[in-house]
Amino acid sequence: MALLKRELYRHVTGPEVTHADRCTLIFDTDAKKLYVEREVADFDASVVGTIQIQSSTMDIADYLKQGGQTAGHRELWRLLQTIFKEDNNSEEM
């Protein structure tokens, strides 16, 4: 299975308790499916290096309907606008 990936957003905080949040746009070339994957990881160095990772997938519409406008939302909107940008110099078929 070939997955094409484009990172939309990454945010990391730390140092004692590190929190990482990443959203990635993924196209599964075999299933012909386009979706967003979100991974959230928390690492607590004070509790013998405890790490907790959560991963979820959602379709693009559900991702864009989430509350707030994150950097990931803005990057996805920018990519979509680039894909669907009309070329004013081309003639219609």
Side-chain angles (χ1 to χ4, degrees):
M1 165 172 49
L3 299 176
L4 304 176
K5 298 182 178 187
R6 170 92 182 230
E7 188 172 281
L8 297 174
Y9 170 77
R10 178 186 301 214
H11 181 75
V12 179
T13 58
E16 284 292 319
V17 176
T18 301
H19 175 82
D21 187 359
R22 178 176 66 181
C23 291
T24 306
L25 180 64
I26 299 177
F27 180 63
D28 182 335
T29 59
D30 292 339
K32 309 295 188 258
K33 184 176 178 185
L34 184 64
Y35 59 95
V36 174
E37 178 181 68
R38 182 173 183 211
E39 294 177 316
V40 178
D42 292 298
F43 175 74
D44 190 344
S46 66
V47 185
V48 192
T50 303
I51 189 166
Q52 182 179 27
I53 300 173
Q54 296 176 347
S55 179
S56 62
T57 61
M58 63 195 87
D59 68 26
I60 293 173
D62 289 339
Y63 177 71
L64 291 173
K65 289 177 188 175
Q66 288 182 339
Q69 285 294 312
T70 67
H73 287 94
R74 289 188 297 275
E75 176 62 9
L76 182 54
W77 277 117
R78 188 192 68 73
L79 289 171
L80 291 171
Q81 288 172 339
T82 300
I83 291 169
F84 294 106
K85 182 179 178 182
E86 291 185 27
D87 184 358
N88 294 330
N89 296 327
S90 67
E91 295 181 24
E92 300 231 2
M93 297 181 134

